[in-house]
Amino acid sequence: MRPISASVLLVSVALTVFPACAKGPPKLATDQDKTLYALGQIISKNLDVFQLTPAELEIVKAGIEDGVSGKPSAVDITQFGDKIQEMVKTRSAALTQKEKTSGTAYATKAAAEKGATKTASGIVITTLTPGTGASPAATDEVKVHYEGKLIDGTVFDSSVKRGEPATFPLNGVIPCWTEALQTMKVGGKARIVCPSDVAYGDRGQPPQIRSGATLVFEVQLLDIVKPGTAEAPVPQPQK
């Protein structure tokens, strides 16, 4: 049997240590209750790739309950390492394709909106506020305010919320940014839809950005700055 990956091992350990939740929502009366609930949420992120159906979740719960109560296992778990790995591979690929399909539909709709421009690489750029200054080159460093969202509207990163602009070399970010910001002028603001191929691709940025995810940014180009003053290498999801 091949070794089980770290992420699968974490899930396996979690499932043998933590019991399934009792019926009905738990009462989070104390900090310890809230800590345990948060732990459960973290564990659930490791199961996200499996995209469990309600019926499958019940089977997983049965495994948890038997493991915690010390009942004999219904299967020889040492014989299922390869099968778990194969399920991870298969379902991860399906999830990536699902993300890409949803992202393509989102980008197509965005490209049809008034004022939108779609580039050859599939990036959709919509000018929200025209700029009046210079346009940066790929070798320049830029100072920007930005907010990054998933296509469902979830914010995964925001310099606006942090209250401080980010400065970075334009050739040190995701390809979507490198290309799109060169079409902007200082003082301008744009909405940029980034297909996964020019964003984080099939690797994603777990846990917030799934593999194959299309990303949506609102970017305000504040300035083109001198090299050597970068404050942030790339727009990254907040931890």
Side-chain angles (χ1 to χ4, degrees):
M1 182 181 73
R2 295 196 303 271
I4 298 177
S5 67
S7 61
V8 173
L9 181 59
L10 174 59
V11 173
S12 300
V13 172
L15 295 184
T16 58
V17 174
F18 299 100
C21 294
K23 300 297 182 181
K27 294 182 179 179
L28 308 181
T30 67
D31 280 346
Q32 178 170 283
D33 294 339
K34 295 174 183 177
T35 300
L36 291 170
Y37 180 82
L39 180 58
Q41 286 284 304
I42 292 170
I43 291 170
S44 74
K45 299 300 182 184
N46 288 281
L47 293 171
D48 185 57
V49 68
F50 293 98
Q51 292 291 285
L52 298 171
T53 66
E56 290 172 336
L57 181 57
E58 289 304 314
I59 296 173
V60 173
K61 288 180 179 179
I64 296 172
E65 292 170 351
D66 287 352
V68 170
S69 64
K71 293 180 180 179
S73 176
V75 300
D76 182 355
I77 61 174
T78 65
Q79 301 299 313
F80 283 84
D82 286 347
K83 292 184 182 296
I84 291 173
Q85 294 283 17
E86 184 61 31
M87 183 177 285
V88 170
K89 181 179 178 180
T90 300
R91 297 203 175 186
S92 178
L95 183 58
T96 298
Q97 186 55 52
K98 180 180 178 182
E99 285 289 332
K100 289 184 176 181
T101 299
S102 297
T104 297
Y106 184 95
T108 298
K109 183 177 179 180
E113 295 177 355
K114 184 178 179 180
T117 300
K118 186 175 183 179
T119 71
S121 62
I123 300 169
V124 180
I125 305 169
T126 303
T127 299
L128 302 177
T129 304
T132 57
S135 294
T139 53
D140 287 332
E141 290 184 4
V142 294
K143 184 176 184 180
V144 301
H145 255 318
Y146 67 91
E147 184 166 81
K149 298 180 180 179
L150 306 178
I151 61 174
D152 67 1
T154 300
V155 176
F156 62 83
D157 193 11
S158 175
S159 69
V160 177
K161 288 186 177 180
R162 290 193 294 273
E164 184 174 354
T167 302
F168 47 79
L170 197 52
N171 59 7
V173 292
I174 57 177
C176 179
W177 274 58
T178 304
E179 179 181 346
L181 265 70
Q182 290 182 77
T183 70
M184 298 177 64
K185 296 180 182 297
V186 172
K189 184 176 182 181
R191 180 180 298 112
I192 304 168
V193 179
C194 300
S196 65
D197 290 347
V198 286
Y200 292 106
D202 289 354
R203 73 185 186 278
Q205 285 285 302
Q208 291 178 295
I209 300 175
R210 289 177 171 174
S211 62
T214 290
L215 306 179
V216 184
F217 293 95
E218 285 196 4
V219 183
Q220 182 179 11
L221 179 57
L222 301 175
D223 201 4
I224 301 171
V225 300
K226 294 180 179 180
T229 58
E231 297 170 6
V234 293
Q236 293 285 352
Q238 296 172 328
K239 304 296 183 181

